[in-house]
Amino acid sequence: MEKQPTRRGFLDWLIGLCSAAAGAALTVPGLLYLWPAARGGASEDVEVPNAPTLAPGQSAILQVRGKAVIVVREQTSFTAYSAVCTHLGCLVKWDGSRKEFLCPCHAAVFDKNGAVVSGPAPAPLPPYKVKEVGGKVYVSLS
Amino acid sequence: MGLSRHVRKFVDSRFDTETAESFINKQVHKRLPPHTGWLHVFGSLSLLLFVSQTITGILLLIYYRPTPEAAHKSIQYITAEVNFGWLYRQVHAWGASVMIIAVVLHMTRTYFFGAYKKPRELTWVTGVLIFIVTITFGFTGYLLPWNQIAFWATTVGTESANKVPVIGEWLRYFLRGGDAVTGETLSRFFVVHVIILPWVLTGLLTVHLFLMRATNLATLEAVGEEKFAPPECGIPFFPVHVAKEGVVAVFLLAVLVTLSVVAPWEIGEPADPLATPAHIKPEWYFLPSYQLLKYFEGPYGAFVGILACSLPFVLLLFWPFLDRGKHRHPKKRPIAVGVGLLAVLAALFLGVLGHLSETDRTIFGRTYHFDLLGRPHQVTTSSDPSQLNHVD
Amino acid sequence: MRQGYVPVVLAVTGWLGLPGVLRAGDAPVTCSTCHSLQSTQLAKSIHKAIRCGECHQAPESYALPFSDLQRYTAAVAPGASRPPFDHGPSFAGKPKRAKVPELCGDCHANIERMNPYGIRTDQLARYWTSGHGKTLKSKGDDRVAVCIDCHSAHEVLSGKEPESHTHPLHVPDTCGTCHANAKLMAEFNLPAEVVDEYRHSVHGRSLLEQGDSGAPTCATCHGNHSAVPPGFATVGAVCGQCHQHASDNFATSIHATQAGFKGCVQCHGGGEGRHYHRIEKITKSTGVMIERYTNLLRSGTKPTSVEVAKAIHPDPKQLINQVLPTCTECHEELSGDKSLQKLFGLLDTIADAERYYVQSAHHLDQVGQGVLLVDNQRFEFEEAKTHLIALAPLQHTLNNATVEAEVTELKKVCDKVNAELTDLENGLRWRYRALVPIWGFAIVFAVALYMKYKALRAVFVKPRPGPLPK
C-alpha cells in the first residue's frame, strides 16, 4: 500500500475520531435494538403477572394487545374474559362471594361463564384462552 | 503484531495470495478519469443505500411478522417497544424512496454523459435491470406493513396486471396468490422482497460493478476517439474518490436520520378488506405510470395503456443499441439530450398530475378541483358536499 | 274469496250437472263469506286456530239456499243496511265492551287452557287492579280500555311481531289513542299531555327515534294489564328496576327520608307545569364532551376552567334552572339555603371531574395522533371513564364526601396517564434535539473528509497536460 507522508496530522486524527464515533453511533443503537424489549413480542401470549399468588376466587386485570382482560382463579384453574362490559365499556369487577362479574356503572351482572345474568348488558363477555405452562399462566391471543 | 505476522505466514504458505493481493490492490488504487466529479457519486450512493436497506431490513426482520393478523401489530411493536425500532423502521422506509431517487439520478447522469455507449452497453443494460429490481423492491415492500394504504395501493397496483392481454387474469391471480389481496399476497411479496430480490440485485450488482470496473468510467470524448490521460492524472479510487464519496455518505446518513425524525412515516390504520378509503394512490415513484394509464380507456385502451407504460422501460433497456451516435458530450448530441429532457419532464409532469388528481388545491385564493385526469376545475365556495374532498 | 264467483261457479257447475260439485241450493256458508274482513284479520292473527263460534257462540256454517245467499251478500247502497240474518239461537253477537275482559278471560285466565302455550294467566286478575279495571268494575264506565282496545278484536298479534299494537315501538301510540285525547281525558280528570311529554323524553326518543325496543314504554313503568300510575312513594322502585345504582344511592340520601318528596320525578320529572313524563337526560356521552372541548380549543384562546365546564356541559345549568322551582317547594330561600349550596358544590365537583377527564382525553388524542403509540395509556385511561360514568348515579347520594372520593380516584388515573404522555412527548422532543449534535458532527466529519480529499487529490493527481477536450 502506498503510504504518503502527510503534514495534516490533525486532519487524519480528526477523521479517525469521527470514523470511530460514526462507527459507534451506527453499531450501538443496532445492538440495543437487538436486545429483547421488555414486553413480549408481537404474537406472544401475555403472561398474567403474579398468577400463582392469586387465591381461589380472586381475580386480576391485565392488558392483552390493548384490551382489558380479567383473569379469575377458580379452585385450580384459571378463566379469562374480556373485562369490558358489553353495555357501555366500563371495566367489570369479579365478586368472589357471588361468583359473578359486576359492572360498577349500571349494575350489569355476568355469571362466571361470562353470560348475562341481569342488567343492561346486551351480550355476554367474550372469553379468552388461558394456558398454564411451567407454573406460569398466559392469556392467549387467539 | 506478532499475531498478524503468524496469520500472514499461515495464509501465504497455503494459498496464492500474490495474485489475490495484486488484484485487490489494483482495484483499490484504480485510477478514474480526471473529470470524475461530484456528479459521479450517485452510483456509490445507490450502493450505500442498498447496504443500508439490507442492514435495516435484516434488523426489521427480527421483529416483523409476515401474516395479516400480526404484521401491523409487529410494526406497532417495533415502533413503540423495541429500542430504536422507530429509527430503523423510518430509515428503511425513507431509504427506499431515497434509493430510488439515487438510482434515477445515477441513470440520468449516465444518460446525459453518454456513458452508456460502446463499450459500456451491457453496463447500462444491467443498470436498467437494477432500476427495475429497485422499483420492484419498493412495490413488494410497500405491502408489508399491512395498513390500509398498503393494502389498497397493492390492490390497485396488481389490478393493472389484469389488463395484460391473454394472460392478464392468470398473471393477476399468480401475483396475488388468489383473486384478491390476502395473506397469500403478503406471503408472496414478503418472500420476493426479503430473499429473491436481494439475491437478484446482488447478482446484477456484481455484474454491473465488474463491467464498470472492466471498462472504467467513461470520458466525454466520442466513441473511438477516447483520449486516455496518463495514469498520474487519473484519480485514485482509494483514497481520493473514496474521500469524496465519504463526504456524500456522511450527509446521506444525516439526511436519513433527519427525515426519520421530522417526517416519519405513519403506521396507518390496519388493513380492512371491507373498507376502501377514498383516493387511493400508489407511492410517488409509480405516479407517472399510474397517471399515464388513466388516459387509455375503452376495451383496447387498457392494453394500449400497458404498452405505453412499458415502452419507457423497453426503450431504456435497449437505448444503447438505438442510439448509435458516437458522441458522448451532451453538447454534441442535441437529439439524445432533447429526448432525455423530454422524458424527464414528461415523467415529472405526469407525476405531479398524478399527485394532484382527485384533490382540491387552493392557488392564489381560488380553489381548484383536479379531476381523475388531472384537469383543474374551478370550484365555487358553495355548500356542495361533493366539493368537500380532503386535500392530501 | 270474492262472493261474485260463487254464484257463477255454482250456476255453471250446477247447470252442467257435474258430479262431485255441490249443487246450487246446498252451499254451506261460513262466517267468512259475509264477514270477510274479520276472518282475514283472524287468519293473520295469533288466534288463527280459533273458530268464530268460540267467542261469538255461532255454528260453524249455515246451510243457505243460493237465492238467499245473494240477498245477504248483494251490495247495498251507502247508509242502507243488509237484511238481518238469523245466526242461530245461541248467537251472542258483538260482545258488549264491559263484558270483553271476562270473555277473553274465559281462555286467558284458564290455567289448563293456556298451559300448552306456556302463557301466563294472571292478566285478568291484574286488569281488575288497574285503573281501567277498577273504573270499569266500580262505575261500569266502559269508555276505559278493555282487551280489544290494545290487542284489537280479531287482529291479535303477539307483542313480538313488529305490526302488533302491543309491540314496544307501538305502545305509546296504542296508549295514546285515549291518553292523548284531551276531550276524553278531561272527562276523567286526567292530563292528556303525558304521551307528548314521553315522546320528548330521553326514553321516548330512545324508543321512537332510535328504535331501541329495549327502552321503557308506558307499559314498562305503569305495567300493562295492571296499568296504574305509581305513586310518588314507589316511583323510585319503578325507576330503580333499571337505574339500580341511582335508586340505591338515592335511598341513602337525605331526600329519601323527606315526606312529600316526589321520588325520582321530583327532579327528573320535567319541571314546572309538566306531568312527570318528560324525563330528560343530563349526562352526555364522553365522546360528545370531548368533541365540545376540542371545538372550544379551536376557537383560539386558552379557556378558563369555567369556560371549559360551560362548553362541555351546558345542559345541567339549563336543567338545574328548570328543576330549581321544584326545590323551592321545600327550600324556600334559594340563595341562603345551605343544603342547596352543598348541592351546587357537589355539582361543581362533578363538573370539575368532567373537565379533568375531557382535558386528559384530549391530551391522549393529541399525543396519539402523531408518531407515538399510546395504546398502553389508552388502556389505563379506560379506568378513568369507569369512574366518570359512576359519578352520575353516585351523585344521588347527595353526599359530597362520597362523590369527592370517586373524583379523587378519577383524577389519580388521569394524572398517571398525563405523566406518561408527557414522558412520551419529552422522548420525542429529545429526538429533535438530537438532530442538532448529529448535524454538527456530520458537518465536522464532512468538512474534514473534504479537506482530506483536497489534500489527497493534490498529492495523487497531476494536472492533465494540454487543454481538456470540449
Side-chain angles (χ1 to χ4, degrees), chain B residues 5-72:
Chain B
R5 232 181 333 151
H6 276 110
V7 172
R8 218 37 245 235
K9 252 182 83 177
F10 181 92
V11 175
D12 277 346
S13 54
R14 285 161 181 74
F15 307 103
D16 173 13
T17 49
E18 242 188 75
T19 333
E21 263 198 60
S22 70
F23 174 75
I24 291 174
N25 267 329
K26 190 161 159 245
Q27 290 308 312
V28 166
H29 298 283
K30 189 181 183 90
R31 294 257 174 183
L32 306 172
H35 78 294
T36 310
W38 290 95
L39 285 175
H40 289 82
V41 299
F42 296 116
S44 56
L45 209 62
S46 308
L47 180 63
L48 176 64
L49 280 160
F50 177 54
V51 171
S52 165
Q53 292 299 92
T54 308
I55 294 176
T56 53
I58 289 173
L59 289 174
L60 287 173
L61 258 182
I62 291 173
Y63 296 107
Y64 175 75
R65 302 280 181 276
T67 62
E69 300 79 28
H72 190 264

Side-chain angles (χ1 to χ4, degrees), chain C residues 343-365:
Chain C
L343 173 69
F344 294 145
L346 190 148
L347 293 173
D348 279 339
T349 309
I350 294 183
D352 191 43
E354 284 173 348
R355 177 189 60 82
Y356 218 82
Y357 175 87
V358 162
Q359 283 174 324
S360 306
H362 184 80
H363 191 199
L364 185 59
D365 280 339

Side-chain angles (χ1 to χ4, degrees), chain A residues 23-38:
Chain A
L26 288 175
T27 40
V28 170
L31 292 173
L32 285 172
Y33 176 93
L34 291 171
W35 191 256

